[in-house]
Amino acid sequence: MREILFYRTESDECPVEIFLDTLDSKQAQKVAWVMQVVEELEQVPTTYLKKLVNTKDIWEVRVQMGSNLFRFLGFFNQGRFIVLTNGFQKKHKRHLDLKLFSRNNENKII
């Protein structure tokens, strides 16, 4: 069993809590549920917890709610604790690429 901790700065600010305060109640509930899954399951599916490629030991807690993707980055401390340092809403790169493609090609006849 793991325990998720939130990093605090020397001035006692918590970037994860600041981000969580921007979410609506349903989004916050989904984040809480995913974090509980990460804490309780011995083998967590990569849908919810994944090591970032090309990093030494940075992990992300992954939350999807409809088209909204939320990420929380952190690291393992002593194997049992996950210290989350920040959270953010991920943008869909694929969706942006399709918008650019259609905008660049809207005046072309195929």
Side-chain angles (χ1 to χ4, degrees):
M1 189 164 177
R2 288 172 214 84
E3 184 176 351
I4 293 178
L5 305 172
F6 295 163
Y7 168 79
R8 291 198 166 279
T9 65
E10 288 183 14
S11 60
D12 203 37
E13 289 185 346
C14 180
V16 174
E17 288 176 354
I18 292 169
F19 174 71
L20 289 172
D21 287 343
T22 68
L23 303 178
D24 67 34
S25 63
K26 288 188 179 205
Q27 292 169 333
Q29 286 176 343
K30 178 72 182 250
V31 168
W33 181 83
V34 170
M35 288 189 184
Q36 183 177 358
V37 166
V38 170
E39 286 184 324
E40 293 178 355
L41 291 182
E42 190 169 321
Q43 294 288 331
V44 182
T46 57
T47 306
Y48 305 121
L49 181 67
K50 185 174 181 180
K51 183 182 179 297
L52 293 180
V53 295
N54 299 324
T55 67
K56 186 175 180 183
D57 275 320
I58 299 176
W59 290 75
E60 65 177 354
V61 173
R62 305 158 58 94
V63 180
Q64 181 171 349
M65 185 170 181
S67 63
N68 295 313
L69 300 174
F70 304 107
R71 299 293 189 256
F72 298 87
L73 301 181
F75 56 91
F76 277 89
N77 184 12
Q78 301 174 357
R80 186 174 152 237
F81 299 101
I82 301 175
V83 180
L84 297 180
T85 58
N86 62 336
F88 58 93
Q89 183 170 3
K90 184 175 178 183
K91 304 293 182 193
H92 287 284
K93 182 179 181 333
R94 211 174 336 149
H95 180 67
L96 294 174
D97 288 346
L98 289 175
K99 274 187 174 179
L100 285 174
F101 177 77
S102 63
R103 195 174 322 141
N104 290 335
N105 293 301
E106 63 188 16
N107 294 327
K108 294 181 182 177
I109 299 175
I110 298 177

